[in-house]
Amino acid sequence: MYAQEVKSTGKGVKSLDEMDPQERAFQERIDADIKIEPKEWMPDGYRKTLIRQISQHAHSEIVGQLPEGNWITRAPTLDRKAILLAKVQDEAGHGLYLYCAAETLGVSRDQMTEDLLSGKAKYSSIFNYPTLTWADIGAIGWLVDGAAIMNQVPIQRCSFGPYSRAMIRVCKEESFHQRQGYDIMIKLANGTNAQKEMAQDALNRWWHPSLMMFGPPDDQSVHSAQSMAWKIKMNTNDELRQKFVDETVPQAEYLGLTVPDPDLKWNEERGHYDFGELDWNEFYEVIKGNGPCNRERLEARQRAWTDGAWFREGLVAHAEKRASRVAAE
């Protein structure tokens, strides 16, 4: 099984014969779908890859509150406000689950936050785009959370136990988020001409960034081959992107909206939609910090970190005082 995976995912991955006995035993457990738990031996590369991926995932959940939180006070109805509040609260919870999972690997939450604020750690490029209208909240739920579900459902089967288990609840809640967004789009698409135009405009702006959420093309992906061999990742970027397009285009047609891609067409021979090339220069520019809202997002996180210092210090002082009292008893 392992040899077949290496052949299909590319170069840069050791064969079983190249591994020392400890590495080979580790890989054989993964091939047998046995979960790896935090206190068990693991290669340094496996640990580092998990810390990078899980912390990036956690940062994305936290930063992802910002574009939607911007609309809580401007939601069109009380019901919509309550639903959006619940959704933003869910995203905070997802971040906490994931930070906890990463902490089992020996990295502190403070260190992960410092890496984010310094630019060393990244978060999903999608959250560096602005939410200009209420329809953007629908598009985020439908497209962004839909893409997240496509990516995260397979992670429920990943090899690292805490990450796998955290994703079970996350995916259930993301499914609610996706339905919430699609419901907004249904209402707008069946509303006035101005509302339908608003929905179409949001689709036009969020379609391509949503496809980029799956990461660069497989031939440009640095980490995919090894991550798939370790079953940290279950599918390639291009596989997930194709699945997302195949499932989402019929949803757009149901809404009566047009996917902004002149090259989009059904390929009967492939049994998939063909779609146009993405602007990967834009993707890499956003990753490098040059997106529309990169600076704004990091400034918001820095402000929250600075303003919350007194609370963190109080928690530590309380914990130390309690520990001293327990030790004295």
Side-chain angles (χ1 to χ4, degrees), residues 281-301:
N281 288 330
E282 175 185 335
F283 172 78
Y284 288 116
E285 281 301 303
V286 175
I287 291 295
K288 286 190 290 188
N290 300 321
C293 297
N294 285 71
R295 182 175 298 177
E296 179 183 339
R297 301 296 184 238
L298 279 181
E299 285 177 352
R301 292 306 305 137

Side-chain angles (χ1 to χ4, degrees), residues 153-312:
V153 165
I155 298 177
Q156 294 176 105
R157 297 181 284 111
C158 84
S159 60
F160 185 57
Y163 194 21
S164 169
R165 291 188 288 272
M167 294 314 301
I168 295 172
R169 178 166 178 173
V170 169
C171 287
K172 288 179 180 178
E173 293 177 351
E174 292 290 3
S175 295
F176 156 74
H177 299 168
Q178 196 269 348
R179 290 194 292 273
Q180 168 259 354
Y182 196 62
D183 182 64
I184 291 175
M185 299 300 280
I186 288 173
K187 295 295 190 297
L188 293 173
N190 289 283
T192 65
N193 289 337
Q195 288 172 325
K196 186 169 184 177
E197 288 173 6
M198 186 189 296
Q200 181 64 60
D201 174 65
L203 173 57
N204 292 346
R205 287 183 289 106
W206 288 94
W207 176 254
H208 290 103
S210 295
L211 295 188
M212 294 178 191
M213 279 181 67
F214 297 101
D218 291 344
D219 59 2
Q220 297 179 29
S221 180
V222 176
H223 303 289
S224 284
Q226 183 62 77
S227 291
M228 289 186 68
W230 279 330
K231 295 188 180 179
I232 294 172
K233 195 173 174 180
M234 309 303 290
N235 304 90
T236 72
N237 298 345
D238 288 337
E239 287 172 350
L240 292 171
R241 194 171 1 258
Q242 182 68 67
K243 186 178 180 182
F244 176 77
V245 172
D246 290 346
E247 292 193 11
T248 308
V249 170
Q251 296 170 2
E253 292 173 347
Y254 177 80
L255 292 172
L257 301 179
T258 302
V259 173
D261 183 351
D263 296 323
L264 181 72
K265 63 180 182 299
W266 178 254
N267 186 320
E268 194 67 42
E269 185 176 334
R270 292 178 59 237
H272 296 286
Y273 282 96
D274 292 335
F275 55 96
E277 279 294 314
L278 299 173
D279 184 355
W280 291 110
N281 288 330
E282 175 185 335
F283 172 78
Y284 288 116
E285 281 301 303
V286 175
I287 291 295
K288 286 190 290 188
N290 300 321
C293 297
N294 285 71
R295 182 175 298 177
E296 179 183 339
R297 301 296 184 238
L298 279 181
E299 285 177 352
R301 292 306 305 137
Q302 181 65 68
R303 189 164 56 250
W305 179 251
T306 302
D307 292 349
W310 68 272
F311 184 70
R312 294 193 304 276

